[in-house]
Amino acid sequence: MTAPDDVRRASRAEAERHLRALVGRDDAVLREDQWSAIEALAVDRRRALVVQRTGWGKSAVYFVATLLLRAHGAGPTVIVSPLLALMRNQIAAAERAGIRAVTINSTNIEQWEPIHEAIHRGEVDVLLVSPERLNNPGFRDEVLPRLAASAGLLVVDEAHCISDWGHDFRPDYRRIRTLLHELPPGIPVLATTATANSRVTSDVAEQLGVSTGSTDDGVLVLRGSLDRESLRLGVVRLKTAEQRMAWLADHLAEQPGSGIVYCLTVAATQEIADYLRSRGLEVAAYSGQTEASERQALEEDLVAGRVKALVATSALGMGFDARLGFVVNMGAPASPVAYYQQVGRAGRGTDEATVVLLPAVEDRDIWAYFASLSFPREELVRQTLGVLEQAGRPLSTAVLETHVELNRSRLEQMLKVLDVDGAVRRVQGGWTATGQPWSYDADRYARVAAAREREQQAMLDYIGTDACRMWFLRDQLDDPDVAERCGRCDNCGGLSLSTTVSEQSVEAAHERLARPGVVVEPRKMWPTGLANLGIDLKGKIADGAAEGRAVNRLTDLGYGQQLRDLFRVGSEGEAQDGPVPVPLVRAVVEVLGDWRPRVDAIVFVESARRPTLTRDLAEGLSRYLKVPVVGAWAIVDPEVPPGKGAANSAQRVAAVGRRSALRADVPAGASVLLVDDLVVTGWTLTLAARALRASGAAEVLPLALAVNG
C-alpha cells in the first residue's frame, strides 16, 4: 500500500517516542535502516528480511512496529523464537516499553489456557512461541489457525534456521511456511538474522513466499555491515588437549569481565568446567541437557558476573543478550558462519571484547560425527514410512526406534522433515503416515553436504590465515561492505595472545584426562509442570543426591570405548548383561581412590535390562569397601518400560516414581553409596536419593559406570 508523506512523518515521530521508552533514553533515535524496516511493516504492511549484525537493534524494529500496529487496531504480534533464553530477554525488553508480552513453551504448560483467554480478550500485545510449538498437534490444529487469523505481525527470529543451507537448520522452522500461507492478506512479516550469507538470504526470502523485488508486494531485504568494532579476534594453536585446557586455567582470569567458553560437545563442557573449578576458577557447565530452570539461573549468574564463565555448547547462543567481555572456543565450529554466530555473544554494549579460538586436530572428527547425523539414507526413510503405513495407527518415536536403525534424536529430526513435506503427521500418540507421495531429494542433500564440506575447509583456512580475521568472517558471510583490515585482530596487530602454559596446569590437565572419573552433578531443580501430573514437587531440590562419580562418559576417550561396547543395544533391542568387566572393575577402584567417599551402606538401582551387571557391581563394592548392601531401588511396576518419559523431565519423574520404590533397611544417619550402571537423565538417582533421605540417610552418593552424555 502507499501512504501519504504526512502519515509517514507522523508514524516515524511516534516510532521514535516508542524507541525512547524501549531503551530508556531521551536522546534515542532510529537509524535510517531501522526506520526502513519499521515503515515497511507498520505503514506499508509488507514482508521484510533483515540481515544485520548482533546488537544492531532488530528487536527494536519489531517491538516499535508492534506498538504502531496495535495503535491502529491490529492484532497481537507473534514472534517465533528458538530459545528460552531469547524469550526471557525479549519479554523483559518488551515490558520496559509497556508491551504486554507472554510466551507459550514447553515449560509453562499450565499457563497455556489463561494465555489463550488473554489473547482472545485483546490483553496481549506480543506472543512468543518456540518453533517446536508450531507442530505440536494441539497447538497446530487448535491455536495456530486462530493466531494466523488474528495476528497483526509475524516475526521469525533467527530466520537462518529456516534454510537447510544455514548453519543451524531446524526442521520445526519449516512449519513457518505453512503459517505464512495461512496468514490473511495484509499481515506484515519480519524475518531477522545476524548470520546469513547470500545463499541463505536468498533461500529465506524465497521461503517468505514472494520475490525479493522492489515492488510493494515484494520482500524488503536489508543487509548491513557485519563488522563488530568491539571484537578483537585471535587464534592460539596448541598441540594437545592438555595444553589447551592448561591455557584456559592460566589465562581465563586475564580475560575482561565474564564470558563464554564454547565447546563442541556436552561431555567437553562438563569435563572442562570440572577441571577449571579444580584450578580455582568460578565456572559452570551449560548445555541442552541442562534443565530449563537451571539454565535461567546460570544465565542470570553470568549476566550479573557471579561466574567468570559458562562452559557451554551452542545451546547458549541465539538471542542471549548480555554485556560479555570474551568468548573462547575450545575447538572450532564447523563453519565460519557458525563461528561468527557464537563470537557475536561478546562485545555487546562494551568497547572491547576478546575472542579466542583454540582449535584441535580432533575437531574434524567431531565435524564428521555431526555430519553423519544428516538426513538418513533413502532406504531408512522408506522403511520408516512403511512401518507407519502398516501400523495403521499412531506410533511413538520410541516404538519406531525398535523398527528403524536410527537413534532417537536423528529419527525425530527425520520425522519432522517428513512432516513438513506432508508424508507424515504428528498426532496425539505419535506419528502417522499420510499416504501422500514423497520423493527423496538426493541431489539437494548432496549439494548441502558439499556446501558443508566447503564451509569446513573455510574454517580450517580461517585458523591458518595471515589475513585480517574479521575481514575473513565478513567475506564468508558475503558482507556487502567489507574492509580488508580491522586493525584489532591478532593478524592486524591489535591483539597479542600468550601461547605459554604452566607445567603445573598441563600436568593437572593430563592427570584429569588420563584417569577415570567424571563428576555426576546432582539435579538441583524440579522440572516445572509436575503439578499437572499430580506430583507435588517444585522449586529447588532440598533432599536430593550429593555430587557423585562415574567412570567416564560414553562420549569420552579412554574408557569411553569400553563403556560404549558394554552398553551397546542389539538390533532386536536386547542389552548385554553379566558381571562387570575386569578393566572397568579396576577403573571403579581408581575412581573410589580419587574420590574417597565415606560409605556406611550400599543401595543399588535394580535394572530390567542388566540385572546381573548392577547387582554384581554393588556386591563387588560391598566386598571392597567392607560395607553391606542394604537393599535396592527396586522395580515395583514392570509395566512402566525402562526409559519411559526420558525426553521430558516431568514425564520422566512421573514414570520413575511409578516404576520403582525403595526396598532397603537404611541405617539412620548413614552415608549411602547409590550404585547404578548408566546415568541418562539423572532423575532415577534423584528420586532414589530422595527416598533414601526420607528413610534416614544423612547423605546419598551416586556411583555409576557411565554417564550418557
Side-chain angles (χ1 to χ4, degrees), residues 647-679:
N648 178 286
S649 287
Q651 294 289 341
R652 182 60 180 160
V653 169
V656 172
R658 294 193 306 272
R659 175 178 168 80
S660 302
L662 184 64
R663 297 290 184 262
D665 185 11
V666 181
S671 178
V672 177
L673 191 69
L674 178 60
V675 177
D676 200 359
D677 56 353
L678 177 64
V679 180

Side-chain angles (χ1 to χ4, degrees), residues 6 130 133 178-179 192 198 288 324 455 468-469 537 576 619:
D6 58 340
S130 65
R133 288 299 94 199
T178 302
L179 180 56
T192 71
S198 295
L324 301 181
E455 289 168 351
C468 170
R469 297 198 188 277
L537 294 171
Q576 300 180 57
E619 291 174 349

Side-chain angles (χ1 to χ4, degrees), residues 395-443:
L395 296 181
S396 68
T397 311
V399 171
L400 282 169
E401 276 186 304
T402 65
H403 297 279
V404 183
E405 194 175 346
L406 290 170
N407 63 36
R408 178 74 58 87
S409 60
R410 197 174 178 203
L411 180 58
E412 185 84 13
Q413 191 92 337
M414 180 190 74
L415 288 165
K416 289 177 178 179
V417 172
L418 293 175
D419 190 347
V420 171
D421 290 343
V424 304
R425 183 173 175 83
R426 188 196 290 271
V427 297
Q428 295 295 339
W431 301 87
T432 61
T434 63
Q436 295 184 20
W438 180 82
S439 60
Y440 188 88
D441 194 349
D443 289 343

Side-chain angles (χ1 to χ4, degrees), residues 172-191:
D172 289 303
Y173 258 70
R174 296 283 292 275
R175 179 61 55 186
I176 292 170
R177 290 189 302 183
T178 302
L179 180 56
L180 288 169
H181 293 153
E182 294 174 353
L183 288 177
I187 303 298
V189 178
L190 172 66

Side-chain angles (χ1 to χ4, degrees), residues 578-582 584-590 592 599 601-604 611-631 673 675-676 703 705:
V580 181
V582 172
L584 292 178
V585 171
R586 297 194 187 104
V588 170
V589 170
E590 190 173 349
L592 288 170
V599 179
I602 296 173
V603 170
F604 67 93
T612 303
L613 182 69
T614 51
R615 184 179 291 276
D616 179 70
L617 178 59
E619 291 174 349
L621 287 166
S622 175
R623 293 189 295 271
Y624 177 74
L625 296 171
K626 296 180 172 57
V627 297
V629 176
V630 298
L673 191 69
V675 177
D676 200 359
L703 176 65
L705 290 175

Side-chain angles (χ1 to χ4, degrees), residues 65-78:
T66 292
L67 289 166
L68 292 176
L69 289 163
R70 292 288 280 165
H72 288 84
T77 291
V78 178

Side-chain angles (χ1 to χ4, degrees), residues 81-89 103 105-107 292 295 299:
S81 294
L83 293 177
L84 293 176
L86 174 60
M87 292 184 182
R88 289 191 288 270
N89 292 155
T103 178
N105 60 68
S106 58
T107 70
R295 285 202 211 186
E299 291 161 13

Side-chain angles (χ1 to χ4, degrees), residues 70-71 94 141 169 188 191 232 307 312 314 445 456 489 543-544 566 609 621 703:
R70 292 288 280 165
D141 297 335
F169 166 65
R232 300 182 302 161
V307 294
S314 58
Y445 300 138
Q456 291 174 11
C489 70
D543 49 2
L566 179 65
R609 289 193 178 111
L621 287 166
L703 176 65

